Structures are given as structure tokens and as C-alpha cells.
Amino acid sequence: DKFEQFWAINRKLMEYPPEDSGFRYIPFRIYQATTERPFIQKLFRPIASGGQLHTLGDLLKDVCPSAISLEDGEQKTQVMIHGIEPMLETPIQWLSEHMSYPDNFLHISIIPRPTD
């Protein structure tokens, strides 16, 4: 109901100096339908120490490797953001800038892949 007030603060959170090439950390939550744990939340830098951009696949390898592991040569889960299955090669900085919710978190769902 107070969009202008919200955006005045949120803009400050979403801006970063061009020399930084991205946010200091990406706020995210990973929700898994098949575990007892309601969600995973950690600090994750969007840029590796060597300067290359981390991808969604890098985030999942670090935090939730079972989400992208193969069983019998097939991936048994889907990674969904806003109902879309993004490519694992997508830079996590881009996802955070364009697909975060108003709370600035990138909410990622790991669901079983349909079998039909």
C-alpha cells in the first residue's frame, strides 16, 4: 500500500557500485519437498575468488548437491523459481536482480520431476 516508501528503501538495497560487479551476498532460501528441513538459507557470494560469476548450479552444488545429482543418468528433481525452471548455467547475480521476491530473497524450490 506504500510502494513509494518501500521502493525508496529497496532501491538502496538493490544498488551496488559498478566496480563490485554484483551484490556482496545473495539472499536465498531453498525449499525441498522431499526433506524434513523446511528450508536452507546461507550466505553465498555471487562472484568467485577468481572473479568469475557463480551460477545457479554452483549455488546448488555448494548448498544442496542432491538437487542436481543424477540417478540412472537422469536428474530426478526440478529446480523452480517463480514456476520457471531456469538453466543451471544462469548467473546467480542475474537471478537475484531479476527473480527475487519483494523481500529481496531468491526463493528456490526443489521438487520431484514428474515421471509421466
Side-chain angles (χ1 to χ4, degrees):
D1 205 27
K2 298 180 182 179
F3 179 76
E4 294 304 322
Q5 288 178 337
F6 165 78
W7 193 245
I9 300 298
N10 195 53
R11 183 179 305 122
K12 293 176 186 174
L13 295 172
M14 297 298 291
E15 292 175 346
Y16 55 87
E19 64 271 7
D20 287 351
S21 301
F23 302 139
R24 184 173 297 162
Y25 293 102
I26 302 296
F28 73 91
R29 277 190 174 180
I30 296 177
Y31 304 90
Q32 299 178 80
T34 58
T35 65
E36 298 287 324
R37 196 171 177 186
F39 62 86
I40 299 170
Q41 178 177 323
K42 289 177 55 175
L43 293 175
F44 189 77
R45 291 190 178 273
I47 300 174
S49 57
Q52 66 272 24
L53 293 174
H54 276 140
T55 65
L56 176 59
D58 295 331
L59 171 70
L60 293 171
K61 281 180 205 167
D62 183 50
V63 178
C64 187
S66 63
I68 57 174
S69 63
L70 299 178
E71 291 180 25
D72 300 326
E74 293 183 18
Q75 189 173 344
K76 297 293 183 185
T77 60
Q78 286 180 294
V79 179
M80 304 292 282
I81 302 173
H82 288 289
I84 299 168
E85 187 173 8
M87 295 187 321
L88 297 178
E89 298 81 22
T90 307
I92 198 72
Q93 176 70 38
W94 187 92
L95 287 171
S96 182
E97 288 179 24
H98 298 283
M99 298 192 77
S100 288
Y101 283 74
D103 63 0
N104 289 327
F105 272 75
L106 188 60
H107 294 272
I108 304 166
S109 298
I110 309 296
I111 59 173
R113 187 171 295 281
T115 56
D116 50 5

